[in-house]
């Protein structure tokens, strides 16, 4: 019998057909949040799961007795209980390599938008306020030649650094591990300690994964160490920033502005952030382009097929499941 698989979002005909050639596919038609109880119900007799835009809590894993492969669509995997999957020897993959450049594009778009006050400029024109040219109109901040601080320097952080080189920016990074010297040299990036990163960045862009250690990496104390002229960009995860402290800091002009694609309690946004003109907001669309979503779906589908065939995909998140010679 073909393996039975469940897809949590309408990821596109091409992907469904790719999987349907070898599996019995159930693809959820609604592009809406999936409550855990509904996911548990849907997974009752499923062998595989393609997890897009949904959470997979441990209790759902526990109830999915047949589940033997999880392919997560996206890079961050804080939405799933990896330990619960590993305990049941269920291999889990993500889509490393499929989203980085597009997410870096959005980080840079937010950086430019907040520096040059693009949403304000747009409103100004649309609302009919533009009557004549003015010397002092809507002044922003220069990006060219400024210092970019990258908090986290994995694939996305490095992709942002590549963009920043074209803007002749000085690139600093902070991460637990130093990247190879060849990478530093190619990007002209210098590893610094956290305090230096906070104090010297004109733009601080966050690219760390969300883990218990990175939660609230930016709070009141960190904002106080930043330049009052600095901007914070977050395309990582909302919880790496203390949103209350950020709202307060922006109100008190601790920093000059923020560009945010992610929030602590999505889709809820701190009400103060909604009122501040120096904040550019986006609804978690870092990987939201047609090409990238298609690539993510394709990579995730291939990962799922590989897992169901007992092959070891490159983007395995819990290799110990394979190392134990578990076969799916
Ligand atoms: C997805 C993301 O939108 O890759 C990530 O970590 O945040 C996004 O690309 C998200 O994973 C939903 O599946």
């Amino acid at each position: 019998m073909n393996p039975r698989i469940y897809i949590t979002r309408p990821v596109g005909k091409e992907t469904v057909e790719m999987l349907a050639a070898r599996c019995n596919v159930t693809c959820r038609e609604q592009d809406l949040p999936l409550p855990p109880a509904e996911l548990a119900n849907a997974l009752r007799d499923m062998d595989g799961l393609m997890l897009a835009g949904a959470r997979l809590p441990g209790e759902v894993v526990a109830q999915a007795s047949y589940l033997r492969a999880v392919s997560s669509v996206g890079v961050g995997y804080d939405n799933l209980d990896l330990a619960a999957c590993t305990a049941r020897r269920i291999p889990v993959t993500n889509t490393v390599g499929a989203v980085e450049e597009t997410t870096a594009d959005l980080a840079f778009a937010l950086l430019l938008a907040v520096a040059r006050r693009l949403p304000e400029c747009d409103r100004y024109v649309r609302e009919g306020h533009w009557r004549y040219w003015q010397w002092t109109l809507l002044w922003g901040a220069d990006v060219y030649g400024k210092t970019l601080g990258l908090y986290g320097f994995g694939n996305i952080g490095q992709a942002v650094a590549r963009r920043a080189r074209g803007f002749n920016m000085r690139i600093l990074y902070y991460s637990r591990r130093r990247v190879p010297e060849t990478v530093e040299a190619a990007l002209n990036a210098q590893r610094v300690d956290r305090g230096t990163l906070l104090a010297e960045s004109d733009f601080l862009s966050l690219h760390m994964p969300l883990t218990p250690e990175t939660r609230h990496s930016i709070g009141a104390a960190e904002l106080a160490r930043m330049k009052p002229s600095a901007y914070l960009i977050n395309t990582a995860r909302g919880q790496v920033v203390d949103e209350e402290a950020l709202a307060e800091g922006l109100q008190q002009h601790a920093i000059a502005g923020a560009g945010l694609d992610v929030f602590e309690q999505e889709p809820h946004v701190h009400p103060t952030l909604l009122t501040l003109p120096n904040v550019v907001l986006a609804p978690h669309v870092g990987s939201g382009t047609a090409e990238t979503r298609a690539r993510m779906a394709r990579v995730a589908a291939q990962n799922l097929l590989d897992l169901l065939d007992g092959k070891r995909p490159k983007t395995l998140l819990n290799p110990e499941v394979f190392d134990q010679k578990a076969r799916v």
Side-chain angles (χ1 to χ4, degrees):
M1 198 173 84
N2 281 342
R4 296 149 300 183
I5 63 169
Y6 185 68
I7 309 176
T8 58
R9 295 273 174 160
V11 290
K13 198 162 156 266
E14 194 192 309
T15 306
V16 172
E17 282 173 4
M18 177 178 166
L19 289 163
R22 305 217 341 245
C23 308
N24 288 338
V25 182
T26 306
C27 182
R28 191 166 185 252
E29 278 169 23
Q30 301 97 316
D31 194 4
L32 291 171
L34 178 57
E38 203 180 316
L39 179 59
N41 195 35
L43 288 180
R44 265 186 320 185
D45 55 359
M46 294 291 164
D47 301 288
L49 168 65
M50 187 160 146
L51 185 73
R55 289 194 323 109
L56 179 63
E59 57 275 19
V60 174
V61 177
Q63 289 171 64
S65 347
Y66 295 96
L67 193 64
R68 56 196 174 93
V70 173
S71 171
S72 185
V73 189
V75 170
Y77 51 90
D78 47 283
N79 58 321
L80 61 87
D81 191 333
L82 186 61
C85 291
T86 306
R88 282 215 27 223
R89 301 171 82 182
I90 300 171
V92 182
T93 54
N94 68 355
T95 59
V96 161
V99 309
E100 288 80 354
E101 297 296 344
T102 303
T103 306
D105 283 348
L106 188 80
F108 223 84
L110 287 171
L111 184 158
L112 289 169
V114 71
R116 299 306 302 270
R117 304 172 62 180
L118 281 184
E120 285 179 87
C121 289
D122 182 86
R123 281 195 293 275
Y124 186 80
V125 176
R126 276 174 209 275
E127 291 170 7
H129 303 297
W130 189 29
R131 298 275 156 74
Y132 33 74
W133 188 87
Q134 282 180 290
W135 179 254
T136 52
L137 184 60
L138 284 163
W139 280 3
D142 271 345
V143 173
Y144 189 87
K146 292 284 183 71
T147 297
L148 172 66
L150 296 161
Y151 198 134
F153 203 51
N155 293 334
I156 300 176
Q158 291 176 31
V160 174
R162 281 196 294 280
R163 284 150 183 77
R165 293 216 61 195
F167 284 73
N168 195 29
M169 295 178 94
R170 174 179 172 231
I171 299 165
L172 306 179
Y173 77 91
Y174 167 73
S175 82
R176 272 177 312 159
R177 257 166 293 151
R178 190 173 170 189
V179 301
E181 271 176 53
T182 48
V183 175
E184 287 183 354
L187 297 171
N188 203 10
Q190 186 193 344
R191 185 173 181 231
V192 292
D193 61 47
R194 202 167 160 272
T196 305
L197 189 89
L198 293 168
E200 296 197 9
S201 297
D202 296 308
F203 297 91
L204 179 63
S205 192
L206 308 180
H207 300 289
M208 64 287 248
L210 173 64
T211 65
E213 294 76 45
T214 63
R215 191 175 171 275
H216 284 191
S217 291
I218 302 293
E222 287 73 23
L223 293 167
R225 293 170 84 171
M226 290 173 69
K227 296 180 188 178
S229 56
Y231 296 87
L232 179 74
I233 310 298
N234 190 7
T235 53
R237 284 292 181 265
Q239 292 98 315
V240 301
V241 173
D242 177 345
E243 207 166 292
E244 179 72 44
L246 176 62
E248 167 116 16
L250 285 162
Q251 252 179 340
Q252 310 293 326
H253 306 288
I255 60 171
L260 308 170
D261 182 46
V262 288
F263 303 88
E264 275 203 81
Q265 309 274 330
E266 295 173 8
H268 173 80
V269 177
H270 193 291
T272 302
L273 296 177
L274 297 172
T275 67
L276 297 173
N278 53 339
V279 180
V280 180
L281 303 165
H284 197 149
V285 290
S287 61
T289 67
E291 299 95 321
T292 293
R293 285 286 154 83
R295 188 168 48 247
M296 291 163 79
R298 210 167 39 241
V299 169
Q302 189 57 54
N303 283 341
L304 193 52
L305 290 173
D306 286 349
L307 288 177
L308 291 166
D309 280 348
K311 291 189 201 147
R312 182 187 176 128
K314 281 197 205 81
T315 62
L316 197 58
L317 296 174
N318 50 359
E320 57 272 42
V321 169
F322 266 69
D323 297 343
Q324 290 163 1
K325 300 215 181 316
R327 282 289 168 262
V328 288

